[in-house]
Amino acid sequence: MAAPFVLVQLSDSHLGATWGGGETHERLAGVVEWILEHGPKPDAVVVTGDVADHGTDEEYEQARDRLSRLASPFFVLPGNHDDRG
């Protein structure tokens, strides 16, 4: 029997937001750590919108740094807070 295909979906990280406690970077890092600790390694990661809260380059760099720890291809769909470019 073939191994299962593991797909992780993440949504609404809102990196850079100051509302809701403003700990968005730590929360995303915690989710990534949980995935790594509880395995198996995802075959792909789909990020469905609102990666960033303000759409700045810095927010996207931070998202890439955190998500790259999963060592899986990731696919990003923009949300209404994201820079479409």
Side-chain angles (χ1 to χ4, degrees), residues 8-13 28 31-32 35 45-49 67 70:
V8 169
Q9 178 190 4
L10 302 172
S11 187
D12 295 287
S13 60
L28 181 57
V31 167
V32 168
I35 293 167
V45 178
V46 177
V47 184
T48 53
L67 294 174
L70 295 172

Side-chain angles (χ1 to χ4, degrees), residues 23-80:
E23 299 171 352
T24 56
H25 301 291
E26 293 83 2
R27 289 182 187 149
L28 181 57
V31 167
V32 168
E33 285 302 315
W34 190 94
I35 293 167
L36 291 171
E37 289 176 13
H38 293 86
K41 178 184 172 291
D43 293 299
V45 178
V46 177
V47 184
T48 53
D50 293 338
V51 174
D53 201 59
H54 303 99
T56 67
D57 290 344
E58 180 182 10
E59 291 167 342
Y60 293 114
E61 289 169 12
Q62 291 169 343
R64 184 182 59 238
D65 289 346
R66 281 161 180 76
L67 294 174
S68 67
R69 295 204 57 234
L70 295 172
S72 301
F74 53 93
F75 304 89
V76 181
L77 303 168
N80 64 313

